[in-house]
PDB file of all heavy atoms in Angstrom:
ATOM      1  N   LEU A 839      -3.232  11.196 -11.915  1.00  0.00           N
ATOM      2  CA  LEU A 839      -4.578  11.402 -12.445  1.00  0.00           C
ATOM      3  C   LEU A 839      -5.469  10.176 -12.244  1.00  0.00           C
ATOM      4  O   LEU A 839      -6.671  10.298 -12.020  1.00  0.00           O
ATOM      5  CB  LEU A 839      -4.503  11.727 -13.947  1.00  0.00           C
ATOM      6  CG  LEU A 839      -3.959  13.109 -14.347  1.00  0.00           C
ATOM      7  CD1 LEU A 839      -3.736  13.167 -15.853  1.00  0.00           C
ATOM      8  CD2 LEU A 839      -4.917  14.209 -13.914  1.00  0.00           C
ATOM      9  N   SER A 840      -4.854   8.987 -12.372  1.00  0.00           N
ATOM     10  CA  SER A 840      -5.638   7.741 -12.306  1.00  0.00           C
ATOM     11  C   SER A 840      -5.902   7.279 -10.869  1.00  0.00           C
ATOM     12  O   SER A 840      -6.555   6.251 -10.666  1.00  0.00           O
ATOM     13  CB  SER A 840      -4.913   6.637 -13.079  1.00  0.00           C
ATOM     14  OG  SER A 840      -3.641   6.385 -12.516  1.00  0.00           O
ATOM     15  N   LEU A 841      -5.396   7.985  -9.895  1.00  0.00           N
ATOM     16  CA  LEU A 841      -5.632   7.601  -8.504  1.00  0.00           C
ATOM     17  C   LEU A 841      -7.113   7.766  -8.161  1.00  0.00           C
ATOM     18  O   LEU A 841      -7.688   8.842  -8.334  1.00  0.00           O
ATOM     19  CB  LEU A 841      -4.771   8.462  -7.580  1.00  0.00           C
ATOM     20  CG  LEU A 841      -4.806   8.079  -6.089  1.00  0.00           C
ATOM     21  CD1 LEU A 841      -4.187   6.712  -5.869  1.00  0.00           C
ATOM     22  CD2 LEU A 841      -4.052   9.125  -5.273  1.00  0.00           C
ATOM     23  N   ASP A 842      -7.718   6.708  -7.676  1.00  0.00           N
ATOM     24  CA  ASP A 842      -9.150   6.711  -7.321  1.00  0.00           C
ATOM     25  C   ASP A 842      -9.284   7.016  -5.823  1.00  0.00           C
ATOM     26  O   ASP A 842      -9.074   6.141  -4.976  1.00  0.00           O
ATOM     27  CB  ASP A 842      -9.774   5.363  -7.653  1.00  0.00           C
ATOM     28  CG  ASP A 842     -11.298   5.395  -7.592  1.00  0.00           C
ATOM     29  OD1 ASP A 842     -11.840   6.278  -6.893  1.00  0.00           O
ATOM     30  OD2 ASP A 842     -11.944   4.545  -8.223  1.00  0.00           O
ATOM     31  N   LEU A 843      -9.620   8.257  -5.505  1.00  0.00           N
ATOM     32  CA  LEU A 843      -9.711   8.647  -4.096  1.00  0.00           C
ATOM     33  C   LEU A 843     -10.857   7.948  -3.380  1.00  0.00           C
ATOM     34  O   LEU A 843     -10.799   7.738  -2.155  1.00  0.00           O
ATOM     35  CB  LEU A 843      -9.884  10.167  -3.994  1.00  0.00           C
ATOM     36  CG  LEU A 843      -8.686  11.017  -4.453  1.00  0.00           C
ATOM     37  CD1 LEU A 843      -8.981  12.488  -4.228  1.00  0.00           C
ATOM     38  CD2 LEU A 843      -7.418  10.619  -3.702  1.00  0.00           C
ATOM     39  N   GLU A 844     -11.906   7.566  -4.114  1.00  0.00           N
ATOM     40  CA  GLU A 844     -13.022   6.859  -3.473  1.00  0.00           C
ATOM     41  C   GLU A 844     -12.582   5.497  -2.976  1.00  0.00           C
ATOM     42  O   GLU A 844     -12.950   5.066  -1.868  1.00  0.00           O
ATOM     43  CB  GLU A 844     -14.168   6.709  -4.483  1.00  0.00           C
ATOM     44  CG  GLU A 844     -15.429   6.081  -3.867  1.00  0.00           C
ATOM     45  CD  GLU A 844     -16.568   5.986  -4.856  1.00  0.00           C
ATOM     46  OE1 GLU A 844     -16.428   6.544  -5.977  1.00  0.00           O
ATOM     47  OE2 GLU A 844     -17.595   5.383  -4.506  1.00  0.00           O
ATOM     48  N   VAL A 845     -11.774   4.812  -3.777  1.00  0.00           N
ATOM     49  CA  VAL A 845     -11.233   3.517  -3.339  1.00  0.00           C
ATOM     50  C   VAL A 845     -10.325   3.712  -2.132  1.00  0.00           C
ATOM     51  O   VAL A 845     -10.321   2.897  -1.195  1.00  0.00           O
ATOM     52  CB  VAL A 845     -10.455   2.846  -4.500  1.00  0.00           C
ATOM     53  CG1 VAL A 845      -9.763   1.571  -4.022  1.00  0.00           C
ATOM     54  CG2 VAL A 845     -11.389   2.545  -5.657  1.00  0.00           C
ATOM     55  N   VAL A 846      -9.573   4.802  -2.126  1.00  0.00           N
ATOM     56  CA  VAL A 846      -8.674   5.088  -1.004  1.00  0.00           C
ATOM     57  C   VAL A 846      -9.470   5.291   0.281  1.00  0.00           C
ATOM     58  O   VAL A 846      -9.139   4.732   1.334  1.00  0.00           O
ATOM     59  CB  VAL A 846      -7.815   6.329  -1.307  1.00  0.00           C
ATOM     60  CG1 VAL A 846      -6.980   6.716  -0.084  1.00  0.00           C
ATOM     61  CG2 VAL A 846      -6.905   6.075  -2.497  1.00  0.00           C
ATOM     62  N   THR A 847     -10.542   6.086   0.219  1.00  0.00           N
ATOM     63  CA  THR A 847     -11.318   6.369   1.428  1.00  0.00           C
ATOM     64  C   THR A 847     -12.058   5.130   1.945  1.00  0.00           C
ATOM     65  O   THR A 847     -12.199   4.950   3.146  1.00  0.00           O
ATOM     66  CB  THR A 847     -12.329   7.494   1.149  1.00  0.00           C
ATOM     67  OG1 THR A 847     -13.147   7.132   0.022  1.00  0.00           O
ATOM     68  CG2 THR A 847     -11.605   8.798   0.854  1.00  0.00           C
ATOM     69  N   LYS A 848     -12.521   4.284   1.040  1.00  0.00           N
ATOM     70  CA  LYS A 848     -13.251   3.097   1.459  1.00  0.00           C
ATOM     71  C   LYS A 848     -12.347   2.006   2.016  1.00  0.00           C
ATOM     72  O   LYS A 848     -12.783   1.192   2.836  1.00  0.00           O
ATOM     73  CB  LYS A 848     -14.055   2.538   0.287  1.00  0.00           C
ATOM     74  CG  LYS A 848     -15.258   3.389  -0.111  1.00  0.00           C
ATOM     75  CD  LYS A 848     -16.033   2.727  -1.238  1.00  0.00           C
ATOM     76  CE  LYS A 848     -17.278   3.539  -1.607  1.00  0.00           C
ATOM     77  NZ  LYS A 848     -18.041   2.899  -2.712  1.00  0.00           N
ATOM     78  N   ASN A 849     -11.105   1.963   1.562  1.00  0.00           N
ATOM     79  CA  ASN A 849     -10.200   0.866   1.942  1.00  0.00           C
ATOM     80  C   ASN A 849      -8.914   1.396   2.560  1.00  0.00           C
ATOM     81  O   ASN A 849      -7.856   0.774   2.437  1.00  0.00           O
ATOM     82  CB  ASN A 849      -9.866   0.018   0.717  1.00  0.00           C
ATOM     83  CG  ASN A 849     -11.082  -0.578   0.039  1.00  0.00           C
ATOM     84  OD1 ASN A 849     -11.609  -1.607   0.454  1.00  0.00           O
ATOM     85  ND2 ASN A 849     -11.528   0.089  -1.030  1.00  0.00           N
ATOM     86  N   TYR A 850      -9.010   2.520   3.242  1.00  0.00           N
ATOM     87  CA  TYR A 850      -7.782   3.143   3.725  1.00  0.00           C
ATOM     88  C   TYR A 850      -7.053   2.288   4.742  1.00  0.00           C
ATOM     89  O   TYR A 850      -5.809   2.319   4.831  1.00  0.00           O
ATOM     90  CB  TYR A 850      -8.082   4.535   4.300  1.00  0.00           C
ATOM     91  CG  TYR A 850      -8.864   4.541   5.581  1.00  0.00           C
ATOM     92  CD1 TYR A 850      -8.221   4.581   6.817  1.00  0.00           C
ATOM     93  CD2 TYR A 850     -10.264   4.516   5.562  1.00  0.00           C
ATOM     94  CE1 TYR A 850      -8.947   4.592   7.995  1.00  0.00           C
ATOM     95  CE2 TYR A 850     -10.989   4.530   6.738  1.00  0.00           C
ATOM     96  CZ  TYR A 850     -10.319   4.567   7.947  1.00  0.00           C
ATOM     97  OH  TYR A 850     -11.046   4.577   9.123  1.00  0.00           O
ATOM     98  N   LEU A 851      -7.801   1.489   5.526  1.00  0.00           N
ATOM     99  CA  LEU A 851      -7.128   0.622   6.501  1.00  0.00           C
ATOM    100  C   LEU A 851      -6.306  -0.459   5.809  1.00  0.00           C
ATOM    101  O   LEU A 851      -5.165  -0.756   6.215  1.00  0.00           O
ATOM    102  CB  LEU A 851      -8.162  -0.007   7.433  1.00  0.00           C
ATOM    103  CG  LEU A 851      -8.871   0.955   8.409  1.00  0.00           C
ATOM    104  CD1 LEU A 851      -9.915   0.207   9.228  1.00  0.00           C
ATOM    105  CD2 LEU A 851      -7.843   1.614   9.324  1.00  0.00           C
ATOM    106  N   ILE A 852      -6.903  -1.054   4.782  1.00  0.00           N
ATOM    107  CA  ILE A 852      -6.165  -2.074   4.012  1.00  0.00           C
ATOM    108  C   ILE A 852      -4.940  -1.440   3.351  1.00  0.00           C
ATOM    109  O   ILE A 852      -3.844  -2.022   3.359  1.00  0.00           O
ATOM    110  CB  ILE A 852      -7.081  -2.709   2.951  1.00  0.00           C
ATOM    111  CG1 ILE A 852      -8.234  -3.454   3.621  1.00  0.00           C
ATOM    112  CG2 ILE A 852      -6.289  -3.643   2.040  1.00  0.00           C
ATOM    113  CD1 ILE A 852      -9.224  -4.061   2.639  1.00  0.00           C
ATOM    114  N   ILE A 853      -5.119  -0.242   2.796  1.00  0.00           N
ATOM    115  CA  ILE A 853      -4.004   0.419   2.111  1.00  0.00           C
ATOM    116  C   ILE A 853      -2.901   0.774   3.102  1.00  0.00           C
ATOM    117  O   ILE A 853      -1.705   0.578   2.822  1.00  0.00           O
ATOM    118  CB  ILE A 853      -4.511   1.680   1.382  1.00  0.00           C
ATOM    119  CG1 ILE A 853      -5.473   1.285   0.259  1.00  0.00           C
ATOM    120  CG2 ILE A 853      -3.344   2.485   0.820  1.00  0.00           C
ATOM    121  CD1 ILE A 853      -6.185   2.452  -0.389  1.00  0.00           C
ATOM    122  N   LEU A 854      -3.300   1.280   4.283  1.00  0.00           N
ATOM    123  CA  LEU A 854      -2.310   1.632   5.303  1.00  0.00           C
ATOM    124  C   LEU A 854      -1.491   0.422   5.747  1.00  0.00           C
ATOM    125  O   LEU A 854      -0.324   0.565   6.121  1.00  0.00           O
ATOM    126  CB  LEU A 854      -3.002   2.273   6.509  1.00  0.00           C
ATOM    127  CG  LEU A 854      -3.523   3.703   6.322  1.00  0.00           C
ATOM    128  CD1 LEU A 854      -4.275   4.151   7.565  1.00  0.00           C
ATOM    129  CD2 LEU A 854      -2.359   4.642   6.017  1.00  0.00           C
ATOM    130  N   ALA A 855      -2.107  -0.750   5.713  1.00  0.00           N
ATOM    131  CA  ALA A 855      -1.381  -1.964   6.100  1.00  0.00           C
ATOM    132  C   ALA A 855      -0.638  -2.570   4.919  1.00  0.00           C
ATOM    133  O   ALA A 855       0.495  -3.059   5.062  1.00  0.00           O
ATOM    134  CB  ALA A 855      -2.356  -2.986   6.684  1.00  0.00           C
ATOM    135  N   ALA A 856      -1.250  -2.542   3.718  1.00  0.00           N
ATOM    136  CA  ALA A 856      -0.684  -3.240   2.571  1.00  0.00           C
ATOM    137  C   ALA A 856       0.551  -2.545   2.012  1.00  0.00           C
ATOM    138  O   ALA A 856       1.535  -3.214   1.646  1.00  0.00           O
ATOM    139  CB  ALA A 856      -1.748  -3.367   1.478  1.00  0.00           C
ATOM    140  N   VAL A 857       0.522  -1.218   1.924  1.00  0.00           N
ATOM    141  CA  VAL A 857       1.653  -0.509   1.313  1.00  0.00           C
ATOM    142  C   VAL A 857       2.942  -0.706   2.116  1.00  0.00           C
ATOM    143  O   VAL A 857       3.982  -1.081   1.544  1.00  0.00           O
ATOM    144  CB  VAL A 857       1.318   0.985   1.123  1.00  0.00           C
ATOM    145  CG1 VAL A 857       2.559   1.752   0.672  1.00  0.00           C
ATOM    146  CG2 VAL A 857       0.197   1.153   0.111  1.00  0.00           C
ATOM    147  N   PRO A 858       2.954  -0.472   3.433  1.00  0.00           N
ATOM    148  CA  PRO A 858       4.192  -0.739   4.184  1.00  0.00           C
ATOM    149  C   PRO A 858       4.610  -2.202   4.131  1.00  0.00           C
ATOM    150  O   PRO A 858       5.813  -2.501   4.038  1.00  0.00           O
ATOM    151  CB  PRO A 858       3.829  -0.310   5.614  1.00  0.00           C
ATOM    152  CG  PRO A 858       2.667   0.607   5.470  1.00  0.00           C
ATOM    153  CD  PRO A 858       1.905   0.110   4.297  1.00  0.00           C
ATOM    154  N   ALA A 859       3.631  -3.111   4.200  1.00  0.00           N
ATOM    155  CA  ALA A 859       3.977  -4.532   4.139  1.00  0.00           C
ATOM    156  C   ALA A 859       4.650  -4.871   2.817  1.00  0.00           C
ATOM    157  O   ALA A 859       5.672  -5.586   2.789  1.00  0.00           O
ATOM    158  CB  ALA A 859       2.720  -5.381   4.328  1.00  0.00           C
ATOM    159  N   LEU A 860       4.079  -4.367   1.720  1.00  0.00           N
ATOM    160  CA  LEU A 860       4.671  -4.613   0.401  1.00  0.00           C
ATOM    161  C   LEU A 860       6.103  -4.103   0.347  1.00  0.00           C
ATOM    162  O   LEU A 860       7.023  -4.819  -0.073  1.00  0.00           O
ATOM    163  CB  LEU A 860       3.822  -3.934  -0.671  1.00  0.00           C
ATOM    164  CG  LEU A 860       4.439  -3.808  -2.071  1.00  0.00           C
ATOM    165  CD1 LEU A 860       4.632  -5.186  -2.686  1.00  0.00           C
ATOM    166  CD2 LEU A 860       3.576  -2.929  -2.969  1.00  0.00           C
ATOM    167  N   MET A 861       6.321  -2.857   0.762  1.00  0.00           N
ATOM    168  CA  MET A 861       7.637  -2.250   0.637  1.00  0.00           C
ATOM    169  C   MET A 861       8.658  -2.893   1.570  1.00  0.00           C
ATOM    170  O   MET A 861       9.833  -3.040   1.213  1.00  0.00           O
ATOM    171  CB  MET A 861       7.535  -0.744   0.900  1.00  0.00           C
ATOM    172  CG  MET A 861       6.577  -0.033  -0.070  1.00  0.00           C
ATOM    173  SD  MET A 861       6.462   1.760   0.156  1.00  0.00           S
ATOM    174  CE  MET A 861       8.008   2.290  -0.565  1.00  0.00           C
ATOM    175  N   ILE A 862       8.212  -3.315   2.760  1.00  0.00           N
ATOM    176  CA  ILE A 862       9.143  -3.962   3.698  1.00  0.00           C
ATOM    177  C   ILE A 862       9.543  -5.336   3.196  1.00  0.00           C
ATOM    178  O   ILE A 862      10.736  -5.712   3.207  1.00  0.00           O
ATOM    179  CB  ILE A 862       8.504  -4.046   5.105  1.00  0.00           C
ATOM    180  CG1 ILE A 862       8.383  -2.647   5.709  1.00  0.00           C
ATOM    181  CG2 ILE A 862       9.325  -4.952   6.016  1.00  0.00           C
ATOM    182  CD1 ILE A 862       7.607  -2.607   7.011  1.00  0.00           C
ATOM    183  N   VAL A 863       8.561  -6.133   2.751  1.00  0.00           N
ATOM    184  CA  VAL A 863       8.869  -7.489   2.264  1.00  0.00           C
ATOM    185  C   VAL A 863       9.822  -7.440   1.080  1.00  0.00           C
ATOM    186  O   VAL A 863      10.828  -8.175   1.030  1.00  0.00           O
ATOM    187  CB  VAL A 863       7.563  -8.232   1.885  1.00  0.00           C
ATOM    188  CG1 VAL A 863       7.881  -9.512   1.128  1.00  0.00           C
ATOM    189  CG2 VAL A 863       6.748  -8.536   3.130  1.00  0.00           C
ATOM    190  N   LYS A 864       9.540  -6.572   0.113  1.00  0.00           N
ATOM    191  CA  LYS A 864      10.411  -6.487  -1.056  1.00  0.00           C
ATOM    192  C   LYS A 864      11.808  -5.991  -0.684  1.00  0.00           C
ATOM    193  O   LYS A 864      12.817  -6.506  -1.190  1.00  0.00           O
ATOM    194  CB  LYS A 864       9.788  -5.555  -2.116  1.00  0.00           C
ATOM    195  CG  LYS A 864       8.543  -6.123  -2.760  1.00  0.00           C
ATOM    196  CD  LYS A 864       8.010  -5.233  -3.863  1.00  0.00           C
ATOM    197  CE  LYS A 864       8.884  -5.269  -5.086  1.00  0.00           C
ATOM    198  NZ  LYS A 864       8.276  -4.554  -6.229  1.00  0.00           N
ATOM    199  N   SER A 865      11.871  -5.008   0.207  1.00  0.00           N
ATOM    200  CA  SER A 865      13.178  -4.466   0.586  1.00  0.00           C
ATOM    201  C   SER A 865      14.035  -5.519   1.283  1.00  0.00           C
ATOM    202  O   SER A 865      15.232  -5.638   1.001  1.00  0.00           O
ATOM    203  CB  SER A 865      12.996  -3.247   1.502  1.00  0.00           C
ATOM    204  OG  SER A 865      12.332  -2.207   0.831  1.00  0.00           O
ATOM    205  N   VAL A 866      13.425  -6.257   2.200  1.00  0.00           N
ATOM    206  CA  VAL A 866      14.187  -7.270   2.942  1.00  0.00           C
ATOM    207  C   VAL A 866      14.713  -8.345   1.999  1.00  0.00           C
ATOM    208  O   VAL A 866      15.892  -8.746   2.069  1.00  0.00           O
ATOM    209  CB  VAL A 866      13.309  -7.886   4.040  1.00  0.00           C
ATOM    210  CG1 VAL A 866      13.993  -9.116   4.652  1.00  0.00           C
ATOM    211  CG2 VAL A 866      13.005  -6.854   5.122  1.00  0.00           C
ATOM    212  N   ILE A 867      13.872  -8.834   1.102  1.00  0.00           N
ATOM    213  CA  ILE A 867      14.289  -9.899   0.185  1.00  0.00           C
ATOM    214  C   ILE A 867      15.371  -9.389  -0.772  1.00  0.00           C
ATOM    215  O   ILE A 867      16.386 -10.077  -1.014  1.00  0.00           O
ATOM    216  CB  ILE A 867      13.081 -10.442  -0.599  1.00  0.00           C
ATOM    217  CG1 ILE A 867      12.128 -11.164   0.357  1.00  0.00           C
ATOM    218  CG2 ILE A 867      13.526 -11.373  -1.729  1.00  0.00           C
ATOM    219  CD1 ILE A 867      10.854 -11.650  -0.286  1.00  0.00           C
ATOM    220  N   ILE A 868      15.206  -8.199  -1.321  1.00  0.00           N
ATOM    221  CA  ILE A 868      16.197  -7.660  -2.253  1.00  0.00           C
ATOM    222  C   ILE A 868      17.524  -7.406  -1.549  1.00  0.00           C
ATOM    223  O   ILE A 868      18.600  -7.705  -2.089  1.00  0.00           O
ATOM    224  CB  ILE A 868      15.662  -6.357  -2.895  1.00  0.00           C
ATOM    225  CG1 ILE A 868      14.498  -6.676  -3.822  1.00  0.00           C
ATOM    226  CG2 ILE A 868      16.765  -5.646  -3.682  1.00  0.00           C
ATOM    227  CD1 ILE A 868      13.796  -5.441  -4.391  1.00  0.00           C
ATOM    228  N   PHE A 869      17.474  -6.879  -0.314  1.00  0.00           N
ATOM    229  CA  PHE A 869      18.714  -6.650   0.438  1.00  0.00           C
ATOM    230  C   PHE A 869      19.450  -7.967   0.688  1.00  0.00           C
ATOM    231  O   PHE A 869      20.673  -8.054   0.507  1.00  0.00           O
ATOM    232  CB  PHE A 869      18.399  -5.958   1.757  1.00  0.00           C
ATOM    233  CG  PHE A 869      19.603  -5.783   2.646  1.00  0.00           C
ATOM    234  CD1 PHE A 869      20.524  -4.780   2.395  1.00  0.00           C
ATOM    235  CD2 PHE A 869      19.815  -6.635   3.738  1.00  0.00           C
ATOM    236  CE1 PHE A 869      21.642  -4.626   3.211  1.00  0.00           C
ATOM    237  CE2 PHE A 869      20.925  -6.488   4.551  1.00  0.00           C
ATOM    238  CZ  PHE A 869      21.839  -5.474   4.291  1.00  0.00           C
ATOM    239  N   ALA A 870      18.698  -8.984   1.098  1.00  0.00           N
ATOM    240  CA  ALA A 870      19.326 -10.288   1.356  1.00  0.00           C
ATOM    241  C   ALA A 870      19.958 -10.861   0.097  1.00  0.00           C
ATOM    242  O   ALA A 870      21.077 -11.393   0.126  1.00  0.00           O
ATOM    243  CB  ALA A 870      18.280 -11.263   1.920  1.00  0.00           C
TER     244      ALA A 870
END
């Protein structure tokens, strides 16, 4: 419900880059 679709549409490029980067960095560090 709290997802702001307007923020998503305005910053979709940042989100497309930030979400995978966040999940990859955390996964690699936790696995190590």
Side-chain angles (χ1 to χ4, degrees):
L839 288 171
S840 61
L841 186 66
D842 192 337
L843 293 183
E844 185 178 353
V845 174
V846 174
T847 55
K848 289 183 178 180
N849 302 278
Y850 69 93
L851 291 177
I852 297 177
I853 295 171
L854 287 175
V857 172
L860 167 66
M861 301 182 75
I862 291 173
V863 169
K864 291 184 72 172
S865 297
V866 170
I867 293 176
I868 291 173
F869 175 77

